[in-house]
Amino acid sequence: MNILHPNPDRLVTDMLDGFVRSHPGLARLPGTQVIVRSQLDQKVGLVSGGGSGHEPAHAGYVGYGMLDAAVAGQIFTSPTPNEVLNAIRAVDRGLGVLLIIKNYTGDVMNFEMAAELAQDEGIAVEKVIVADDVAVENSTFTIGRRGVAGTVFVHKIAGASAQRGDSLQEVKRVADKVAARVFSMGLALSPCILPTTGKPSFDLPAGEVEIGIGIHGEPGVRRGSIAPLTELVDMLIDRVAAESSLQKSDEVALMINGMGATPLAELGVCAHHAMARLDQIGVKIHKSLLGEYMTSLNMAGFSITVLKLDSELKSLLDEPTHAPAWR
């Protein structure tokens, strides 16, 4: 496959510079791959991040009401502990810092190492690990369930908690609550193409669909012939509903997330069928998000995320944010 960027080694750094110049409320820490808010408030700091290739995650969620910093690794590679430590130092205002970590082995290890280093410097640090992918219990990238698009809801709601002035322990409590109530599953019609090699991350014959894919180009848990879209959506919704014990009269936030190369028109059809299936179950949809929130480079496919709400989470979810990728 043809790649637009001529030098994969500069892809991430050039991307970050372009992103910052496009969003005046953001800045890049000199000499790092850390994006921060240009003006920080006196509150608990929120830091997330991970490998690049998932845009708009994670820099797109830096802004008032969401993250204070995002740390970008190379493509599908966790950022180093030192980069995460730079982010923690930059956003700490004496009230502590919460790390929001997707459950991948590299991310967990490096973020936890950074937390220990920051604590040695006297910075209070807490963490929440997000593991919302119901497709697998273990994968080549992690022990336990993977952290995928549901992480964005943790960014949003924990961000609102911090923005209103909650303590570090209270922000962590809210973040843990969201992480325990958010569930996702995805599928792909094609693999992603790695910019370093120009080759697909896995082979998928024409006419087949990969069920339960991850966001690092991992293949899914099974594959089969492409079925009508309504059947594929029902399959994902039913799995998420079963794992989350969705019941009639439950209230949820729904996210239909494109994986990088799925037209918005097709995502709209997915949203239509997902809402119809939730209507059949008797679930009330409080908020619906449609678009690309956590991608896998240029993979064709989508994921469905459901967050079970209560009055506290609804209120925080509806708080305003200026993060550029929250739409």
Side-chain angles (χ1 to χ4, degrees), residues 101-148:
I101 311 167
K102 299 188 307 303
N103 190 33
Y104 289 94
T105 301
D107 285 358
V108 172
M109 178 178 66
N110 290 348
F111 274 74
E112 288 185 342
M113 288 178 62
E116 292 174 3
L117 293 170
Q119 288 164 345
D120 288 343
E121 297 179 5
I123 301 173
V125 181
E126 293 285 358
K127 66 179 185 295
V128 58
I129 297 176
V130 187
D132 55 305
D133 186 1
V134 303
V136 296
E137 289 297 336
N138 296 286
S139 76
T140 54
F141 280 78
T142 191
I143 298 173
R145 288 182 166 173
R146 301 174 291 209
V148 289

Side-chain angles (χ1 to χ4, degrees), residues 223-251:
R223 66 177 53 172
S225 299
I226 296 178
L229 185 55
T230 180
E231 294 182 17
L232 295 175
V233 170
D234 284 354
M235 176 184 58
L236 297 185
I237 286 286
D238 289 349
R239 177 65 179 273
V240 167
E243 292 288 339
S244 59
S245 301
L246 271 185
Q247 299 177 1
K248 185 176 181 180
S249 78
D250 280 343
E251 198 163 5

Side-chain angles (χ1 to χ4, degrees), residues 144-205:
R145 288 182 166 173
R146 301 174 291 209
V148 289
T151 310
V152 178
F153 280 128
V154 184
H155 294 164
K156 174 63 186 71
I157 293 176
S161 174
Q163 196 67 57
R164 72 182 181 184
D166 288 348
S167 68
L168 177 59
Q169 291 303 319
E170 179 67 5
V171 176
K172 174 177 166 52
R173 180 193 67 79
V174 168
D176 283 333
K177 183 177 180 180
V178 180
R181 297 167 69 103
V182 68
F183 305 86
S184 302
M185 188 170 177
L187 60 79
L189 302 178
S190 75
C192 62
I193 306 298
L194 299 172
T196 51
T197 64
K199 297 179 180 179
S201 55
F202 59 86
D203 294 322
L204 184 62

Side-chain angles (χ1 to χ4, degrees), residues 186-189 202 204 208-213 219-223:
L187 60 79
L189 302 178
F202 59 86
L204 184 62
E208 294 195 352
V209 61
E210 192 82 11
I211 307 295
I213 46 86
V221 294
R222 66 180 179 87
R223 66 177 53 172

